[in-house]
């Protein structure tokens, strides 16, 4: 959608994004087949189908946010905020908007995946923490020693991306709880010298961090949904 609005060709899914979406589509298809066979009187399968479709949409929106941030970043040439002309300021603001939208969505999707895993494997994570995150669910899976193969794979993915996740988490927390992250960067620089021009943050580094977050999300979705699909194919669907 955003590519079309920006005058770019529509995106053709490939790589990790394609693998993640395909794994979720397979889950949706299995759920639809079960609903057709057994009518799903408790609506358990329908609920999981809706959540899986929602994850597909959310993942597409995250990838588009990253793409749009990269698109507008190309128009930002000045190294200092004070040196930008009006058009460049507008493009920088658009970059900031989509970049922030992206790193917020990284954790939003992970938490949605946590909700799906909690429901799929009957983990009762809310008894441990009322408002739980994906990482709480992962700890609960590990604690209960359920599905060790999946736990090991998800834990490795998380650990491989630990540093980037910490960076993105700090920026997400600053954005949602304290102040706009780009303004926090400006404030820190003002403390260094009140008369200094405000230098832009490292936009390329931020975009690379976001891309690694996107890849981590894709890998986690692939691991979770492929494991579920294989388990259902072998043992039948049980929720």
């Amino acid at each position: 959608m955003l590519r079309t609005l920006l005058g770019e060709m529509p995106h053709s899914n490939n790589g990790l994004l394609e693998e993640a979406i395909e794994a979720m589509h397979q889950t949706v298809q299995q759920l639809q087949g079960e609903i057709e066979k057994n009518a799903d009187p408790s609506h358990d399968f329908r609920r999981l189908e809706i959540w899986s479709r929602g994850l597909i949409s959310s993942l597409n929106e995250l990838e588009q946010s990253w793409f749009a941030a990269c698109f507008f970043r190309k128009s930002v040439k000045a190294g200092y905020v004070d040196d930008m002309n009006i058009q460049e300021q507008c493009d920088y603001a658009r970059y900031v908007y989509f970049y922030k939208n992206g790193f917020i969505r990284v954790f939003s999707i992970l938490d949605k995946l946590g909700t799906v895993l909690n429901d799929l494997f009957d983990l009762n994570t809310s008894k441990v923490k009322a408002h739980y995150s994906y990482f709480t669910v992962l700890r609960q899976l590990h604690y209960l020693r359920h599905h060790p193969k999946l736990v090991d794979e998800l834990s490795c993915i998380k650990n491989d991306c630990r540093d980037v996740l910490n960076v993105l988490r700090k920026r997400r927390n600053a954005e949602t709880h304290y102040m706009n992250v780009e303004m926090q960067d400006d404030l820190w620089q003002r403390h260094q010298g009140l008369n200094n021009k405000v230098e832009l943050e490292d936009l390329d580094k931020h975009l690379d961090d976001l891309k690694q977050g996107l890849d981590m999300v894709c890998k986690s979705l692939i691991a979770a949904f492929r494991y579920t699909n294989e388990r259902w194919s072998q043992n039948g669907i049980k929720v």
Side-chain angles (χ1 to χ4, degrees):
M1 179 180 67
L2 285 179
R3 281 177 170 79
T4 302
L5 292 174
L6 297 173
E8 299 289 312
M9 293 294 293
H11 181 54
S12 177
N13 292 338
N14 53 59
L16 291 173
L17 183 70
E18 180 181 26
E19 290 182 52
I21 290 174
E22 177 59 28
M24 290 186 282
H25 273 309
Q26 289 179 12
T27 300
V28 168
Q29 290 170 356
Q30 290 196 66
L31 289 166
Q32 288 175 333
E34 187 67 24
I35 291 168
E36 290 175 5
K37 283 193 300 182
N38 298 314
D40 187 29
S42 65
H43 301 293
D44 290 337
F45 300 128
R46 178 59 176 160
R47 181 178 65 253
L48 280 170
E49 181 202 355
I50 291 170
W51 285 351
S52 299
R53 288 182 180 277
L55 276 168
I56 293 170
S57 296
S58 295
L59 181 59
N60 274 317
E61 289 161 2
L62 168 56
E63 191 279 335
Q64 290 179 68
S65 293
W66 170 77
F67 172 83
C70 292
F71 179 91
F72 288 112
R73 186 269 173 271
K74 294 174 186 175
S75 301
V76 180
K77 306 297 183 183
Y80 296 88
V81 175
D82 300 316
D83 293 342
M84 291 182 184
N85 59 34
I86 297 300
Q87 181 59 50
E88 198 168 356
Q89 289 177 21
C90 291
D91 286 333
Y92 173 64
R94 295 181 181 109
Y95 151 81
V96 169
Y97 174 86
F98 286 110
Y99 167 63
K100 291 195 295 188
N101 191 51
F103 67 66
I104 289 170
R105 284 184 181 277
V106 165
F107 295 97
S108 172
I109 294 175
L110 287 174
D111 288 345
K112 289 175 182 177
L113 174 58
T115 298
V116 171
L117 293 174
N118 184 65
D119 194 75
L120 269 175
F121 303 129
D122 197 24
L123 301 178
N124 295 309
T125 310
S126 59
K127 293 182 179 179
V128 177
K129 188 176 181 181
H131 302 290
Y132 57 84
S133 70
Y134 167 75
F135 302 100
T136 314
V137 172
L138 198 51
R139 287 193 296 271
Q140 180 75 344
L141 263 174
H142 188 270
Y143 171 75
L144 294 173
R145 299 182 179 180
H146 289 174
H147 312 284
K149 179 182 176 182
L150 175 60
V151 173
D152 287 347
E153 188 171 1
L154 291 176
S155 296
C156 284
I157 293 167
K158 182 198 73 171
N159 292 334
D160 287 346
C161 206
R162 184 187 302 276
D163 291 342
V164 165
L165 284 176
N166 286 337
V167 169
L168 294 175
R169 183 184 291 108
K170 287 177 182 176
R171 296 186 76 81
R172 187 277 309 267
N173 290 345
E175 177 65 28
T176 55
H177 299 300
Y178 300 108
M179 68 172 70
N180 296 359
V181 291
E182 75 281 7
M183 292 181 181
Q184 188 175 51
D185 291 338
D186 293 351
L187 179 62
W188 182 87
Q189 290 193 53
R190 290 300 189 194
H191 281 316
Q192 309 311 302
L194 293 177
N195 296 319
N196 292 345
K197 291 194 295 186
V198 176
E199 186 176 4
L200 284 188
E201 67 272 21
D202 190 338
L203 307 188
D204 293 327
K205 175 63 166 62
H206 287 177
L207 288 173
D208 182 62
D209 289 344
L210 180 56
K211 180 59 166 61
Q212 290 185 59
L214 167 60
D215 288 348
M216 182 271 179
V217 166
C218 287
K219 291 175 183 177
S220 301
L221 291 167
I222 292 167
F225 280 88
R226 278 186 177 170
Y227 178 85
T228 299
N229 294 337
E230 291 171 3
R231 185 166 168 261
W232 284 352
S233 294
Q234 294 171 2
N235 305 316
I237 299 180
K238 298 175 183 178
V239 177

